[in-house]
Amino acid sequence: MTTDTDVTKEAADFIIKTFAADNRKVKPSHAHALISHYFGYNSKKAMIDDGDCWVDDEGNGLDSYDPDLKHVKERVTAMKSSPLKEAPTEYLADVVYAGLAPPCECCGEKSLDIMPIGDPYNGDTPEGWVSQQCASDDEGYGTCWCCGDHIIHRAEDLNAAGECPEHAGESSVDEEEQEDRESWIEYHTKDGPF
């Protein structure tokens, strides 16, 4: 997939806006450089010349790429005066991720707590994007007890037991499975949680 220049510009604008909210001014060139470093490039030009940057305007490909945090840290440290140097590397990666992701389908805003809908870690294409805040305020979204709170699903895709289609029926166990679970829990918690 090729990164559309509008996606990159929107991400750079988001980076600038995010730091501006804390009265820290990030230059557009540094914001674009941060995005290229996220993908392991030394410059925006190198990223553009490669022509295959993994993310499109729907956010497809974003969760299948691991950011190059070591490269981000090295390159940001080498920048001349920039507020990016003061931020933790993981935070910088989170800001780039949120900037590259589409806006929330509920409020239409980009936010640091944006999440894909569905399970992109299984190779699924996100069904949409929603901020954690909007998802928690809207009954149209939920989480599967098996997947965990880090994966948002549409409420219509969850069954009455709070399971996604992939985990449907996992809360139903027969007596033998229940005994196995209880035995496993007892064994692993007999000495306390640590």
Side-chain angles (χ1 to χ4, degrees):
M1 284 175 255
T2 304
T3 298
D4 182 68
T5 51
D6 289 342
V7 173
T8 305
K9 182 177 178 346
E10 286 178 14
D13 291 346
F14 180 76
I15 294 166
I16 292 165
K17 179 181 171 186
T18 300
F19 278 84
D22 290 331
N23 293 321
R24 297 180 291 169
K25 185 175 177 165
V26 173
K27 296 176 186 175
S29 61
H30 285 176
H32 284 280
L34 177 59
I35 296 164
S36 67
H37 304 330
Y38 179 90
F39 287 114
Y41 296 98
N42 288 334
S43 68
K44 178 182 173 185
K45 182 176 180 347
M47 182 177 75
I48 291 170
D49 288 349
D50 186 30
D52 188 19
C53 298
W54 308 286
V55 180
D56 66 15
D57 59 353
E58 308 248 335
N60 295 318
L62 189 54
D63 283 306
S64 63
Y65 183 77
D66 290 325
D68 190 339
L69 296 180
K70 182 179 178 194
H71 190 70
V72 168
K73 183 175 178 107
E74 289 171 359
R75 299 299 296 176
V76 168
T77 301
M79 288 179 175
K80 293 185 179 173
S81 64
S82 173
L84 297 177
K85 295 173 81 162
E86 301 162 14
T89 305
E90 293 78 15
Y91 177 75
L92 295 175
D94 290 346
V95 175
V96 173
Y97 177 92
L100 291 169
C104 173
E105 66 182 29
C106 288
C107 66
E109 298 291 324
K110 286 185 176 266
S111 66
L112 284 170
D113 69 343
I114 196 77
M115 294 181 68
I117 300 170
D119 189 358
Y121 306 106
N122 281 346
D124 297 341
T125 301
E127 299 171 21
W129 293 78
V130 65
S131 71
Q132 290 176 356
Q133 181 63 48
C134 286
S136 66
D137 293 345
D138 189 320
E139 292 180 10
Y141 304 96
T143 58
C144 167
W145 70 271
C146 288
C147 295
D149 292 340
H150 64 285
I151 298 175
I152 301 288
H153 296 278
R154 295 197 189 282
E156 63 198 34
D157 294 335
L158 300 172
N159 65 20
E163 300 163 333
C164 68
E166 184 178 333
H167 296 110
E170 294 205 17
S171 62
S172 302
V173 294
D174 60 27
E175 284 184 42
E176 185 177 334
E177 288 175 318
Q178 185 61 33
E179 287 174 10
D180 287 345
R181 281 184 184 182
E182 289 170 4
S183 175
W184 186 89
I185 291 169
E186 181 182 340
Y187 176 78
H188 288 287
T189 58
K190 68 180 180 207
D191 296 326
F194 300 103

